[in-house]
Amino acid sequence: MLYYLYSDFGINVFQYLTFRAGVSFFLAFFLCSFMMPYFINWAKAKKANQPISTFVPAHQGKVNTPTMGGMVFLLSTVIASVLSVKLNNNYVILGLIVLIVFGLIGARDDYMKISAKKNSGMSARLKFTLLFIVAALISSALSFNGLDSSLYVPFMKKPLFYLGDYPGLAIMFWTLVFLATTNAVNITDGLDGLATVPSICALLSLSVFVYIAGNAELSRYLLWPRVVDAGELFIVSMALIGSLFGFLWYNCHPAQVFMGDSGSLGIGGFIAYMAIVSNNEVLLILIGSIFVIETLSVILQIGSYKTRKKRIFLMAPIHHHFEAKGWAENKIIVRFWVIAILSNIIALMSIKIR
């Protein structure tokens, strides 16, 4: 909408992508910061608390904390984005659909947990099926939109191989990226602010890559694959980052609200979407290092127990392992944040070292 102040009224500052991205960031931040206290009070009145597993070491101090805060920062993101972007952009429309639909799947899961007063919501089969259907549809839309399906490897100039001759294979691969990322962020969301800051780091890195991919001069100079019209997605990403900063104000330890599955699935879906659009599916392993570590800890724990009847960790995901060892929650959170920041700095270095 702000762009039309330039196109219709000639206010030049609104033609610049970076300016509108900055506006969307602060709009989302202030919207989320303003709405969150009202949501927290409403959620407490409705007893919309996060059911905490009794096996979690510090579960007693979190039993009355409201959940579904993700709905607030997703709504803030959508409003700020609609006000700032060109709405005739296919990548923007698909990005907003990703945020909304994945968020709604998570919200349904949260609602079922709250209603049943249990830590299990939808059945794993139903949840996976819904996520798979949405991921496959979005992947198909990207393929239909002509997105480059070349697979790029970090620190290499040329793609490893090209999936363009096999569109079905590209759709399957992108669907897998969606499913892996959404579940990884969901698994990580177990301590106050633990998933929030790594998500911000990942989105910042991917915002840089999307901006480069959408800019003809920068993509040519840096030998990065050009994605026509992808630049507008930078605005949506900055809006989500702004809303996450607003959410972090209330989610930092001790948390006044949790994001719930509505937030973690929405974030995970959008991170996967940004990685796919910017041809960073492989680099996402480094960009989302914390999510990868958390997920691997669960896979290794389950695999070890099923094959050897022995546990590798005291508890999985790995952040609960450190809790069980007696680490203070803040220490675990901040150290994971440090890892996320460092890994994203390395990921950004791959822009030039290729």
Side-chain angles (χ1 to χ4, degrees):
M1 187 176 292
L2 291 177
Y3 179 79
Y4 300 106
L5 292 176
Y6 159 69
S7 60
D8 295 344
F9 300 99
I11 304 175
N12 288 331
V13 71
F14 292 112
Q15 72 173 303
Y16 299 113
L17 193 67
T18 49
F19 180 81
R20 286 185 286 123
V23 171
S24 72
F25 173 91
F26 283 107
L27 271 175
F29 172 77
F30 288 120
L31 277 171
C32 186
S33 300
F34 174 77
M35 291 191 292
M36 194 61 74
Y38 293 99
F39 173 81
I40 292 171
N41 292 334
W42 174 84
K44 285 182 176 179
K46 296 293 182 181
K47 299 187 183 300
N49 303 327
Q50 172 72 54
I52 307 294
S53 171
T54 55
F55 296 104
V56 173
H59 78 281
Q60 287 294 342
K62 301 176 183 290
V63 290
N64 295 317
T65 306
T67 188
M68 292 183 73
M71 295 301 292
V72 178
F73 66 69
L74 291 179
L75 177 61
S76 302
T77 301
V78 171
I79 293 172
S81 298
V82 169
L83 291 173
S84 306
V85 298
K86 295 179 186 177
L87 291 174
N88 60 348
N89 186 292
N90 289 337
Y91 290 113
V92 166
I93 293 170
L94 283 174
L96 293 177
I97 290 173
V98 166
L99 283 171
I100 294 167
V101 179
F102 278 104
L104 287 175
I105 294 172
R108 175 62 179 167
D109 195 33
D110 288 333
Y111 178 77
M112 292 180 70
K113 289 177 184 176
I114 294 167
S115 300
K117 301 297 180 184
K118 293 181 180 179
N119 197 43
S120 56
M122 285 190 288
S123 67
R125 178 177 295 179
L126 176 59
K127 189 174 180 180
F128 178 84
T129 301
L130 291 174
L131 291 173
F132 176 81
I133 291 170
V134 176
L137 288 173
I138 296 295
S139 300
S140 300
L142 287 171
S143 180
F144 180 78
N145 199 50
L147 181 66
D148 180 15
S149 56
S150 299
L151 186 66
Y152 286 83
V153 177
F155 305 102
M156 291 181 65
K157 293 179 182 179
K158 295 182 179 180
L160 192 62
F161 56 83
Y162 179 60
L163 298 173
D165 297 329
Y166 309 96
L169 189 59
I171 291 169
M172 289 173 59
F173 175 60
W174 291 339
T175 301
L176 178 62
V177 173
F178 272 113
L179 293 174
T181 310
T182 50
N183 281 285
V185 177
N186 188 231
I187 288 169
T188 305
D189 182 33
L191 298 179
D192 301 345
L194 181 60
T196 308
V197 171
S199 296
I200 290 171
C201 293
L203 288 165
L204 279 170
S205 295
L206 290 168
S207 296
V208 173
F209 285 107
V210 164
Y211 182 80
I212 292 170
N215 187 290
E217 293 185 7
L218 280 176
S219 60
R220 183 170 56 251
Y221 171 69
L222 294 169
L223 302 177
W224 197 260
R226 175 90 162 98
V227 184
V228 180
D229 294 331
E232 285 289 315
L233 196 57
F234 174 64
I235 297 172
V236 182
S237 182
M238 292 306 295
L240 181 54
I241 292 168
S243 65
L244 282 174
F245 271 113
F247 173 71
L248 184 61
W249 189 268
Y250 302 95
N251 183 237
C252 60
H253 185 71
Q256 297 171 256
V257 63
F258 298 138
M259 69 170 66
D261 282 18
S262 55
S264 60
L265 293 184
I267 292 171
F270 191 74
I271 287 175
Y273 179 73
M274 290 279 287
I276 292 167
V277 171
S278 62
N279 292 283
N280 277 308
E281 299 95 338
V282 177
L283 190 61
L284 184 59
I285 296 171
L286 183 59
I287 290 172
S289 59
I290 290 299
F291 308 134
V292 173
I293 291 167
E294 293 275 20
T295 305
L296 282 176
S297 71
V298 173
I299 294 171
L300 291 172
Q301 184 85 324
I302 294 172
S304 176
Y305 189 76
K306 285 188 174 182
T307 56
R308 305 187 304 146
K309 300 300 179 184
K310 293 181 180 180
R311 292 181 175 87
I312 298 174
F313 308 104
L314 297 176
M315 228 181 143
I318 197 169
H319 58 260
H320 289 319
H321 167 80
F322 292 117
E323 271 192 300
K325 289 190 71 173
W327 285 28
E329 184 171 347
N330 249 0
K331 178 180 284 188
I332 300 168
I333 294 165
V334 173
R335 286 183 174 176
F336 276 46
W337 288 357
V338 170
I339 294 170
I341 292 167
L342 293 176
S343 63
N344 275 273
I345 290 172
I346 296 170
L348 288 172
M349 289 169 63
S350 70
I351 295 173
K352 192 61 179 173
I353 306 175
R354 298 170 66 236

